[in-house]
Amino acid sequence: MARKNLGTKNVRWDLSVMYRGIDDPQIDVDVLEIVRRMKEFSANYRGRLAEKLAAAILDYAEISMLGNKVAYLRLLQTTNVEDAVVKAKIAEVQKTLSRAEGEYLTFFDIELVAIDDAVLEKLYANDPTVQKYRSWIEHARVFKPHLLSEPVEAALTKRNPVGPDSWSEFYEEIATDLRFNFRGKKTLDEMIHVLSESKDRDLRARLLKIINDGLGGPFAKYSAQTLFMVANARSIEDRERGYRHPMDSRNKASRIPDAVVESLHEAVVAKAGPLGKRFYKLKAAHLGLKTLAWADRNAPMPFADKTVISFDDAAAMVLKAYESFSPMLADIIRDFTSKRCIDAPAIKGKQGGAFNWSVVLPGNRPASFILLNYLGSTRDAMTLAHELGHGVHGMLAGKAQGVLMYHPPIAFAETASVFGEMTMFQFLKKKLVAQGDEKALLAFIMGKIDDVINTVVRQIQFSNFERRLHGMDSLYRIWGEQKKLSVEELDALWLGTIEELYGKGGEVFTYENANRLWAYVDHFQRPFYVYGYAFGQLLTQSLYAEQPRLGDRFEPLYLDLLRSGGTKNVAELLSPFGLDPADQNFWTNGIAFGLGAMVEEAEELSKKMGISV
């Protein structure tokens, strides 16, 4: 099926629930209204927050919802990052709102965390509104030791539009402009798609070289400088705020103790890394190779079905998969199509990759939108299931918790998306088992193993690269000074962290043309985001393994977990399922239930074909 027949041309989102377009005068009206409300908020509550806390929280929520509506501009930009009119409007609005926020809202966090514990306890006992937002208030108070004076906090907020984030925004624009010389000019998404789908080893090697070379030169230099600016700015600010190490603020925001995060990293290195190497040796045997090149890492099996899946067919499969688990979630997914909340085609100027954007709009209306660059592979269909998982999570939590508490921390935010992928995987796997086609089944399972390793092992490799970038020593024990690294030093650091998890060169892989791939990982612009993917994958594998034991009780427990949004920490979320993330076995069990079981199944099926290692 040719790309023009994918059926994505008209799968474009309709954002009119927010505004009619960039020229809608209501945008300016709403921006002025936000500023007016911020000013009024300051006049009403500054210095009197403890006595008027309930009213302040409700007014703050109204400002937040209107701000989410104006964030439409960011969503609009993703469909054409080169649109100068949209970029100019974003800069104008961001400047106005950052100034107003710094001027009128900075006091709120500072006064909120300064309220006496006894006063708060009394409010919790006597005021239903304050009691409702207790989790949100208590989480904000975790950061009390790290807040600076109000003038400094205000200055930092006003500086946001021209701070480190501005480097990241321009990086994304440049990355979207990248073109690679292969059968014309191809985007990075298109190149990676062909690299992952091609059965031709020589072509894969050629493609990786084109990608690696294309990431060099000015782009690598800019990427290196962006990483330095983001990491150095964070380092300076973290020291001023008194954080113990560069990951401290992210871990606190994610409601995860440092020890749990460290256990995750250690378990992946100790357990998932060796499983990955074991799997890749099996893959090499199927490909008739002794050692894989890095370009072969995501290669399909020679007997894999490479049928291109139209978007409508993928959407139908995802819907059936969700229906097999939860009719309620399936109903929410139907709305994504009927209300045009998905933007699917891979077109010039569009932001690469895929994401979900879930918010709560004025009137306490949850809304959710999905961006894809859909090219018709099975992996693309699984990505649709993944992003729809984020979507149902956002809709359920938005309705249950409202604008201030709907968004789960990053590490929990991947739970529903990974669960959606697993539901889709099990649904399709059952169909293949019923058909009795063991070759197709093996190819499908091995493709899924590729994805799980990418989500767990590769993301922890990313995290280790990032930790080293921010000053951690090579044993991952001591944090030192963050230093500016050249492109060549970043290349070496990148390859070193790859070898820690994938083996020394020649053991499982050779690493030619893999040295510069760090340059396109945009998640590094949001420090310590990446470990959340591995966290979510393994947490979800542990959850998924509880379904047989819990039976009919599982679905309502799972839906309650999604509705919790950002109101609970990881221990509170998992307690109803009988799981404890503080248990050292939690992560190793998650690896065994998911990746380990799939590798064993792949090995058994391979033996039937006469392939073993």
Side-chain angles (χ1 to χ4, degrees), residues 66-133:
L66 194 53
N68 283 343
K69 183 185 176 189
V70 173
Y72 152 90
L73 294 169
R74 291 286 187 191
L75 205 57
L76 186 63
Q77 185 187 28
T78 62
T79 58
N80 184 2
V81 298
E82 300 170 356
D83 192 320
V85 175
V86 175
K87 286 194 291 185
K89 190 66 176 179
I90 288 173
E92 172 195 328
V93 169
Q94 188 178 31
K95 181 179 179 181
T96 300
L97 294 184
S98 293
R99 283 181 175 178
E101 183 180 352
E103 189 73 24
Y104 302 121
L105 294 188
T106 303
F107 82 92
F108 181 61
D109 283 342
I110 294 171
E111 290 192 19
L112 180 63
V113 303
I115 297 174
D116 186 82
D117 288 344
V119 172
L120 268 180
E121 289 298 332
K122 189 174 180 179
L123 286 169
Y124 292 147
N126 298 310
D127 191 314
T129 298
V130 179
Q131 172 60 31
K132 175 184 176 182
Y133 287 94

Coordinates of all heavy atoms in Angstrom, one line a residue, residues 66-133:
L66 N -8.2 28.6 31.7 CA -8.1 29.5 30.5 C -6.7 29.6 29.9 O -6.6 29.7 28.7 CB -8.5 30.9 31.0 CG -8.8 32.0 30.0 CD1 -9.9 31.5 29.0 CD2 -9.3 33.3 30.6
G67 N -5.7 29.4 30.7 CA -4.4 29.3 30.2 C -4.2 28.0 29.3 O -3.5 28.1 28.3
N68 N -4.8 26.9 29.7 CA -4.8 25.7 28.9 C -5.5 26.0 27.5 O -5.0 25.5 26.5 CB -5.6 24.6 29.6 CG -4.7 23.9 30.7 OD1 -3.5 24.1 30.8 ND2 -5.4 23.2 31.6
K69 N -6.5 26.8 27.5 CA -7.2 27.1 26.2 C -6.2 27.9 25.3 O -6.1 27.5 24.1 CB -8.4 27.9 26.5 CG -9.2 28.2 25.2 CD -10.4 29.1 25.6 CE -11.2 29.5 24.3 NZ -12.2 30.5 24.5
V70 N -5.5 28.8 25.9 CA -4.6 29.6 25.1 C -3.4 28.8 24.6 O -2.8 29.1 23.5 CB -4.1 30.9 25.9 CG1 -3.0 31.6 25.1 CG2 -5.3 31.8 26.2
A71 N -3.1 27.7 25.3 CA -2.0 26.8 24.9 C -2.3 26.1 23.6 O -1.5 25.4 23.0 CB -1.7 25.8 26.0
Y72 N -3.5 26.4 23.1 CA -3.9 26.0 21.7 C -2.8 26.4 20.7 O -2.5 25.6 19.7 CB -5.2 26.7 21.4 CG -5.5 26.9 19.9 CD1 -6.1 26.0 19.1 CD2 -5.1 28.2 19.3 CE1 -6.4 26.3 17.8 CE2 -5.4 28.4 18.0 CZ -6.0 27.5 17.2 OH -6.3 27.8 15.9
L73 N -2.2 27.5 20.9 CA -1.2 28.0 20.0 C 0.0 27.0 19.8 O 0.5 26.8 18.7 CB -0.6 29.3 20.4 CG -1.6 30.5 20.4 CD1 -1.1 31.7 21.1 CD2 -2.0 30.8 19.0
R74 N 0.4 26.4 20.9 CA 1.5 25.4 20.9 C 1.0 24.2 20.1 O 1.8 23.6 19.3 CB 1.8 25.0 22.3 CG 2.5 26.0 23.1 CD 3.9 26.2 22.7 NE 4.7 27.1 23.5 CZ 5.9 27.6 23.2 NH1 6.5 27.3 22.1 NH2 6.5 28.4 24.0
L75 N -0.2 23.8 20.3 CA -0.8 22.6 19.6 C -0.8 22.9 18.1 O -0.5 22.1 17.2 CB -2.1 22.3 20.1 CG -2.6 20.9 19.9 CD1 -1.7 19.9 20.6 CD2 -4.0 20.7 20.5
L76 N -1.2 24.1 17.7 CA -1.3 24.5 16.3 C 0.1 24.5 15.7 O 0.2 24.1 14.5 CB -1.9 25.9 16.3 CG -2.2 26.5 14.9 CD1 -3.3 25.7 14.2 CD2 -2.7 27.9 15.0
Q77 N 1.1 24.9 16.4 CA 2.4 25.0 15.9 C 3.0 23.7 15.5 O 3.7 23.6 14.5 CB 3.3 25.7 16.9 CG 4.8 25.9 16.3 CD 5.7 26.4 17.4 OE1 5.6 26.1 18.6 NE2 6.7 27.1 17.0
T78 N 2.6 22.6 16.2 CA 3.1 21.3 15.9 C 2.8 20.8 14.5 O 3.5 19.9 14.0 CB 2.7 20.2 16.9 OG1 1.2 20.1 16.9 CG2 3.1 20.6 18.3
T79 N 1.7 21.3 13.9 CA 1.4 20.8 12.6 C 2.1 21.5 11.5 O 2.1 21.1 10.3 CB -0.2 21.0 12.3 OG1 -0.5 22.4 12.5 CG2 -1.0 20.2 13.3
N80 N 2.8 22.7 11.9 CA 3.7 23.4 10.9 C 4.6 24.2 11.7 O 4.3 25.4 12.0 CB 2.9 24.2 9.9 CG 3.7 24.9 8.9 OD1 5.0 24.7 8.9 ND2 3.2 25.7 8.0
V81 N 5.7 23.6 12.1 CA 6.6 24.3 13.0 C 7.3 25.5 12.4 O 7.9 26.4 13.0 CB 7.7 23.4 13.6 CG1 7.1 22.3 14.4 CG2 8.6 22.8 12.5
E82 N 7.2 25.6 11.0 CA 7.8 26.7 10.3 C 6.9 27.9 10.2 O 7.3 28.9 9.6 CB 8.3 26.2 8.9 CG 9.3 25.1 9.0 CD 9.6 24.5 7.7 OE1 8.9 24.9 6.7 OE2 10.4 23.6 7.6
D83 N 5.7 27.8 10.6 CA 4.7 28.9 10.5 C 5.1 30.2 11.2 O 5.0 30.2 12.5 CB 3.3 28.5 10.9 CG 2.2 29.4 10.5 OD1 2.4 30.6 10.5 OD2 1.1 28.9 10.1
A84 N 5.6 31.2 10.5 CA 6.2 32.4 11.2 C 5.1 33.1 11.9 O 5.3 33.7 13.0 CB 6.8 33.3 10.2
V85 N 3.9 33.1 11.4 CA 2.8 33.9 12.1 C 2.5 33.2 13.5 O 2.3 33.9 14.5 CB 1.5 33.9 11.2 CG1 0.3 34.5 11.9 CG2 1.8 34.6 9.9
V86 N 2.4 31.9 13.5 CA 2.1 31.2 14.7 C 3.3 31.4 15.7 O 3.0 31.7 16.9 CB 1.9 29.7 14.5 CG1 1.7 29.0 15.8 CG2 0.6 29.5 13.6
K87 N 4.5 31.3 15.2 CA 5.6 31.5 16.1 C 5.7 32.9 16.8 O 5.9 33.0 18.0 CB 7.0 31.3 15.4 CG 7.2 29.8 15.0 CD 8.7 29.6 14.6 CE 8.9 30.2 13.2 NZ 10.3 29.9 12.7
A88 N 5.3 33.9 15.9 CA 5.3 35.2 16.4 C 4.2 35.4 17.5 O 4.4 36.1 18.5 CB 5.1 36.2 15.3
K89 N 3.1 34.8 17.2 CA 2.0 34.9 18.2 C 2.3 34.2 19.5 O 2.0 34.8 20.6 CB 0.7 34.3 17.6 CG -0.6 34.6 18.4 CD -0.9 36.0 18.3 CE -2.2 36.4 19.0 NZ -2.5 37.8 19.0
I90 N 2.9 33.1 19.4 CA 3.4 32.4 20.6 C 4.3 33.2 21.5 O 4.2 33.3 22.7 CB 4.0 31.0 20.3 CG1 3.0 30.0 19.8 CG2 4.7 30.4 21.5 CD1 3.5 28.7 19.2
A91 N 5.3 33.8 20.8 CA 6.3 34.7 21.5 C 5.6 35.8 22.2 O 5.9 36.2 23.3 CB 7.3 35.2 20.5
E92 N 4.6 36.4 21.5 CA 3.9 37.6 22.0 C 3.1 37.2 23.3 O 3.2 37.9 24.3 CB 3.0 38.2 20.9 CG 2.0 39.2 21.4 CD 0.9 39.5 20.4 OE1 1.2 39.3 19.2 OE2 -0.2 39.8 20.8
V93 N 2.4 36.1 23.1 CA 1.5 35.7 24.2 C 2.3 35.2 25.4 O 2.0 35.5 26.6 CB 0.6 34.5 23.7 CG1 -0.2 33.9 24.9 CG2 -0.5 35.1 22.8
Q94 N 3.4 34.4 25.1 CA 4.2 33.9 26.2 C 4.9 35.1 27.0 O 5.0 35.0 28.2 CB 5.3 33.0 25.6 CG 6.2 32.3 26.6 CD 7.2 31.4 26.0 OE1 7.7 31.6 24.9 NE2 7.5 30.3 26.7
K95 N 5.3 36.1 26.3 CA 5.9 37.2 26.9 C 4.9 37.9 27.9 O 5.2 38.2 29.0 CB 6.4 38.2 25.9 CG 7.1 39.5 26.4 CD 7.6 40.3 25.3 CE 8.3 41.6 25.8 NZ 8.7 42.5 24.7
T96 N 3.7 38.1 27.4 CA 2.7 38.8 28.2 C 2.3 38.0 29.4 O 2.2 38.5 30.5 CB 1.4 39.0 27.3 OG1 1.7 39.8 26.2 CG2 0.3 39.7 28.1
L97 N 2.1 36.7 29.2 CA 1.6 35.8 30.3 C 2.8 35.6 31.3 O 2.5 35.5 32.5 CB 1.1 34.5 29.8 CG -0.2 34.6 29.0 CD1 -0.7 33.3 28.6 CD2 -1.3 35.4 29.7
S98 N 4.0 35.4 30.9 CA 5.1 35.2 31.8 C 5.3 36.4 32.7 O 5.6 36.3 33.9 CB 6.4 34.9 31.0 OG 6.3 33.7 30.4
R99 N 5.2 37.6 32.1 CA 5.3 38.8 32.9 C 4.2 38.9 33.9 O 4.5 39.2 35.1 CB 5.3 40.1 32.0 CG 6.6 40.3 31.2 CD 6.4 41.6 30.3 NE 7.7 41.9 29.7 CZ 7.8 43.0 28.9 NH1 6.8 43.7 28.6 NH2 9.0 43.2 28.3
A100 N 3.0 38.6 33.5 CA 1.9 38.7 34.4 C 2.0 37.7 35.5 O 1.7 38.0 36.7 CB 0.6 38.6 33.7
E101 N 2.4 36.5 35.1 CA 2.5 35.4 36.1 C 3.6 35.8 37.2 O 3.4 35.6 38.4 CB 2.9 34.1 35.5 CG 3.0 32.9 36.4 CD 3.3 31.6 35.7 OE1 3.3 31.6 34.5 OE2 3.6 30.6 36.5
G102 N 4.7 36.3 36.7 CA 5.8 36.7 37.6 C 5.3 37.8 38.5 O 5.7 37.8 39.7
E103 N 4.6 38.7 38.0 CA 4.1 39.9 38.8 C 3.0 39.5 39.8 O 3.1 40.0 40.9 CB 3.6 41.0 37.8 CG 3.3 42.3 38.4 CD 4.6 43.1 38.8 OE1 5.6 42.8 38.2 OE2 4.5 43.9 39.7
Y104 N 2.1 38.7 39.4 CA 0.9 38.6 40.2 C 0.7 37.2 40.8 O -0.1 37.1 41.8 CB -0.4 38.9 39.3 CG -0.3 40.2 38.7 CD1 -0.4 40.4 37.3 CD2 -0.3 41.4 39.5 CE1 -0.4 41.7 36.8 CE2 -0.2 42.7 38.9 CZ -0.3 42.8 37.6 OH -0.3 44.1 37.0
L105 N 1.4 36.2 40.3 CA 1.1 34.8 40.9 C 2.2 34.2 41.7 O 2.1 33.2 42.4 CB 0.7 33.8 39.8 CG -0.6 34.1 39.0 CD1 -0.8 32.9 38.1 CD2 -1.7 34.3 39.9
T106 N 3.4 34.8 41.6 CA 4.6 34.3 42.3 C 4.3 34.1 43.8 O 4.8 33.1 44.4 CB 5.8 35.2 42.1 OG1 6.0 35.3 40.7 CG2 7.1 34.6 42.7
F107 N 3.6 35.0 44.4 CA 3.4 34.9 45.8 C 2.6 33.6 46.2 O 2.8 33.2 47.4 CB 2.6 36.1 46.3 CG 1.1 36.0 46.1 CD1 0.3 35.5 47.1 CD2 0.5 36.4 44.9 CE1 -1.1 35.3 46.9 CE2 -0.8 36.2 44.7 CZ -1.7 35.7 45.7
F108 N 1.8 33.1 45.3 CA 0.9 32.0 45.7 C 1.6 30.8 46.2 O 1.3 30.3 47.3 CB 0.0 31.7 44.5 CG -1.0 30.6 44.8 CD1 -2.0 30.8 45.7 CD2 -1.0 29.4 44.1 CE1 -2.9 29.8 46.0 CE2 -1.9 28.4 44.3 CZ -2.9 28.6 45.3
D109 N 2.6 30.3 45.5 CA 3.3 29.1 45.9 C 4.1 29.4 47.2 O 4.1 28.5 48.1 CB 4.3 28.6 44.9 CG 3.6 27.9 43.7 OD1 2.5 27.4 43.9 OD2 4.3 27.8 42.7
I110 N 4.7 30.6 47.3 CA 5.4 30.9 48.5 C 4.6 31.0 49.7 O 4.9 30.4 50.8 CB 6.2 32.2 48.3 CG1 7.2 32.0 47.1 CG2 6.8 32.7 49.5 CD1 7.9 33.3 46.7
E111 N 3.4 31.6 49.6 CA 2.5 31.7 50.8 C 1.8 30.4 51.1 O 1.5 30.1 52.2 CB 1.5 32.8 50.5 CG 2.1 34.2 50.6 CD 1.0 35.3 50.6 OE1 -0.2 35.0 51.0 OE2 1.3 36.5 50.3
L112 N 1.6 29.6 50.0 CA 0.9 28.3 50.2 C 1.7 27.4 51.1 O 1.2 26.8 52.0 CB 0.6 27.6 48.9 CG -0.1 26.3 48.9 CD1 -1.5 26.4 49.5 CD2 -0.2 25.7 47.5
V113 N 3.0 27.3 50.8 CA 3.9 26.4 51.5 C 4.2 27.0 52.9 O 4.7 26.2 53.8 CB 5.2 26.1 50.8 CG1 4.9 25.5 49.4 CG2 6.1 27.3 50.6
A114 N 4.0 28.3 53.1 CA 4.3 28.9 54.4 C 3.2 28.8 55.4 O 3.4 29.1 56.6 CB 4.7 30.4 54.2
I115 N 2.0 28.4 55.0 CA 0.9 28.2 55.9 C 1.2 27.2 57.0 O 1.7 26.2 56.7 CB -0.4 27.8 55.2 CG1 -0.8 28.8 54.1 CG2 -1.6 27.6 56.1 CD1 -2.0 28.4 53.3
D116 N 0.9 27.6 58.2 CA 1.2 26.7 59.4 C 0.5 25.4 59.3 O -0.7 25.4 58.9 CB 0.9 27.5 60.7 CG 1.3 26.7 61.9 OD1 2.5 26.8 62.3 OD2 0.4 26.0 62.5
D117 N 1.2 24.3 59.7 CA 0.6 23.0 59.6 C -0.7 22.9 60.4 O -1.7 22.3 59.9 CB 1.5 22.0 60.1 CG 2.7 21.7 59.2 OD1 2.6 22.1 58.0 OD2 3.7 21.1 59.7
A118 N -0.8 23.5 61.6 CA -2.0 23.5 62.4 C -3.1 24.2 61.7 O -4.3 23.7 61.8 CB -1.7 24.1 63.7
V119 N -2.8 25.3 61.0 CA -3.9 26.0 60.3 C -4.4 25.2 59.2 O -5.7 25.1 59.0 CB -3.3 27.4 59.8 CG1 -4.4 28.0 58.9 CG2 -3.0 28.3 60.9
L120 N -3.5 24.5 58.5 CA -4.0 23.7 57.4 C -4.8 22.5 57.8 O -5.8 22.1 57.2 CB -2.8 23.1 56.6 CG -2.3 24.0 55.4 CD1 -1.1 23.3 54.7 CD2 -3.4 24.1 54.3
E121 N -4.4 21.9 58.9 CA -5.1 20.7 59.5 C -6.5 21.1 59.8 O -7.5 20.4 59.6 CB -4.4 20.1 60.7 CG -3.1 19.4 60.3 CD -3.4 18.2 59.4 OE1 -4.5 17.6 59.5 OE2 -2.4 17.8 58.7
K122 N -6.7 22.3 60.3 CA -8.0 22.8 60.7 C -8.9 23.0 59.4 O -10.1 22.7 59.4 CB -7.9 24.1 61.5 CG -9.2 24.6 62.1 CD -9.0 25.8 63.0 CE -10.3 26.3 63.5 NZ -10.1 27.5 64.4
L123 N -8.2 23.6 58.4 CA -8.9 23.8 57.1 C -9.3 22.5 56.5 O -10.4 22.3 55.9 CB -8.0 24.6 56.2 CG -7.9 26.1 56.5 CD1 -6.8 26.7 55.6 CD2 -9.2 26.8 56.3
Y124 N -8.4 21.5 56.5 CA -8.7 20.2 56.0 C -10.0 19.6 56.7 O -10.8 18.9 56.1 CB -7.6 19.2 56.2 CG -6.3 19.5 55.4 CD1 -5.1 19.2 55.9 CD2 -6.4 20.0 54.1 CE1 -3.9 19.5 55.1 CE2 -5.3 20.3 53.3 CZ -4.0 20.0 53.9 OH -2.9 20.3 53.1
A125 N -10.1 19.8 58.0 CA -11.2 19.3 58.8 C -12.5 20.0 58.5 O -13.6 19.3 58.6 CB -10.8 19.3 60.2
N126 N -12.4 21.3 58.2 CA -13.7 22.1 58.2 C -14.1 22.6 56.8 O -15.2 23.1 56.7 CB -13.5 23.2 59.2 CG -13.3 22.8 60.6 OD1 -14.1 21.9 61.1 ND2 -12.3 23.3 61.3
D127 N -13.2 22.6 55.9 CA -13.5 23.2 54.6 C -13.4 22.1 53.5 O -12.4 21.6 53.2 CB -12.5 24.3 54.2 CG -13.0 25.1 53.0 OD1 -13.3 24.5 52.0 OD2 -12.9 26.4 53.1
P128 N -14.6 21.7 52.9 CA -14.6 20.6 51.9 C -13.7 20.9 50.7 O -13.1 20.0 50.1 CB -16.1 20.5 51.5 CG -16.8 21.2 52.6 CD -15.9 22.2 53.2
T129 N -13.6 22.2 50.3 CA -12.8 22.5 49.1 C -11.3 22.3 49.4 O -10.6 21.7 48.6 CB -13.0 24.0 48.7 OG1 -14.4 24.1 48.3 CG2 -12.1 24.4 47.5
V130 N -10.9 22.8 50.5 CA -9.5 22.6 50.9 C -9.2 21.1 51.1 O -8.1 20.6 50.7 CB -9.1 23.4 52.2 CG1 -7.7 23.2 52.6 CG2 -9.4 24.9 52.0
Q131 N -10.1 20.4 51.7 CA -9.9 18.9 51.8 C -9.8 18.2 50.5 O -9.0 17.3 50.3 CB -11.1 18.3 52.6 CG -11.1 16.8 52.7 CD -9.9 16.3 53.4 OE1 -9.3 16.9 54.2 NE2 -9.4 15.1 52.9
K132 N -10.6 18.6 49.5 CA -10.6 18.0 48.2 C -9.2 18.2 47.6 O -8.7 17.3 46.9 CB -11.6 18.7 47.3 CG -11.6 18.2 45.9 CD -12.6 19.0 45.0 CE -12.4 18.6 43.5 NZ -13.4 19.3 42.7
Y133 N -8.6 19.3 47.8 CA -7.3 19.6 47.2 C -6.1 19.3 48.1 O -5.0 19.8 47.8 CB -7.2 21.1 46.7 CG -8.1 21.4 45.5 CD1 -9.4 21.8 45.7 CD2 -7.6 21.1 44.2 CE1 -10.2 22.1 44.6 CE2 -8.4 21.4 43.1 CZ -9.7 21.8 43.3 OH -10.5 22.1 42.2

